[in-house]
Amino acid sequence: MPIAVTEFTLVEQTAFLTAYARALDARAPVPILGDAFSDRVVGLIDYDFPAFRIPANVVRQTALRAKMLDERVRAYTTAHPDAVVVDLGAGLNEPAARVDPPAGVDWYSIDLPHVMALRAKVVPARPGEHAVTADLTAAGWTDGIPVGRPTMVIADGLFAFLTEQQVIALIGHAIDHFGTGELVFNDYGPVGAFSRLSMNLAPRGMFTVLRHVWANPGFTDPRTPQRWDPRLRLVEQACLAHAAEVEMFPGPARAMTRLAGRFKSVAGKARVLRYKF
């Protein structure tokens, strides 16, 4: 029997949105991420996933950003086989299975109570992976996570649903606790009045959820987080529009994405940012 999820808040339901996008990518004739795990998870949950009406370009972008994050975590854990990976707002994503890090890596997946309770039912336990139920806007989410080891903190989609001040506090707390390491997350660039109007006027579907939970205004300059906390140092900005996988996007989306990639300000609307601290 499918698992009921009637008590999930709108913020918690964003885990379903990204899981379904990865599932749709997995069903494509030539997937970008090829995450069959997400497709299986979607089949276990009693939720109206098709109601999201996720556009094909969003499916591809979601898959591509996950792949780009995976590549950076894989490189880090290969170089640091005793690393700690901290996945903020893990949702129903299972990058640990895709990355398959060395046996000495400890992986901490963190999210809100309803998400983690569901995750415990649908995500198989892996050696070295630890589930943490916590509100990332409150103190204490790092309790029990080891320090003194190479650490990579990752966030796929989370920061869009936190205010700028909440993101600043979260990053500062992570640096205070771990001391040194890397932070890598996907970013959408600035979200101004026109973008919010477009979201509000968009057809029902995924935007029904997003218009109510999107909280972050974003930023243009990738060095902005360095001004939030001088302990951060930008080491990479990777725009999705410049990735080779864009050739696998649907025709119109491929052409528009390649065109966007020619303009720095537009290309920065979808990117992966990596910092050392």
Side-chain angles (χ1 to χ4, degrees), residues 11 48 57 63-64 97 102-103 114 116 121 133 135 140 142 152 156 167 178 195 213 232 246-247 257 266:
V11 168
D48 187 7
N57 64 314
L64 179 53
H114 287 133
M116 294 308 292
K121 297 177 182 178
T133 300
D135 180 349
T142 52
M152 175 169 266
D156 185 357
V167 172
F178 298 114
S195 296
V213 298
L232 288 175
V246 171
E247 291 303 315
T257 303
V266 183

Side-chain angles (χ1 to χ4, degrees), residues 47-177:
Y47 187 84
D48 187 7
F49 289 98
F52 280 132
R53 303 178 190 173
I54 305 177
N57 64 314
V58 175
V59 169
R60 295 308 210 187
Q61 288 176 5
T62 303
L64 179 53
R65 81 187 194 208
K67 183 178 181 180
M68 292 170 70
L69 287 166
D70 286 355
E71 290 169 350
R72 281 142 186 87
V73 178
R74 188 176 296 111
Y76 189 85
T77 54
T78 298
H80 305 283
D82 61 337
V84 172
V85 178
V86 183
D87 188 357
L88 306 177
L92 302 176
N93 194 11
E94 182 60 342
R98 299 192 302 265
V99 170
D100 192 22
V105 170
D106 280 299
W107 194 297
Y108 289 80
S109 301
I110 309 175
D111 215 316
L112 295 168
H114 287 133
V115 177
M116 294 308 292
L118 177 59
R119 185 180 175 89
K121 297 177 182 178
V122 301
V123 178
R126 288 178 53 86
E129 187 171 5
H130 314 271
V132 178
T133 300
D135 180 349
L136 289 164
T137 66
W141 62 266
T142 52
D143 292 351
I145 303 179
V147 297
R149 293 163 58 183
T151 302
M152 175 169 266
V153 180
I154 64 175
D156 185 357
L158 170 71
F159 289 172
F161 311 121
L162 302 179
T163 66
E164 183 176 284
Q165 287 304 312
Q166 288 172 332
V167 172
I168 293 171
L170 188 157
I171 292 173
H173 182 66
I175 298 174
D176 288 343
H177 182 80

Side-chain angles (χ1 to χ4, degrees), residues 177-193:
H177 182 80
F178 298 114
T180 61
E182 292 194 5
L183 167 69
V184 59
F185 59 93
N186 78 291
D187 178 65
Y188 306 93
V191 179

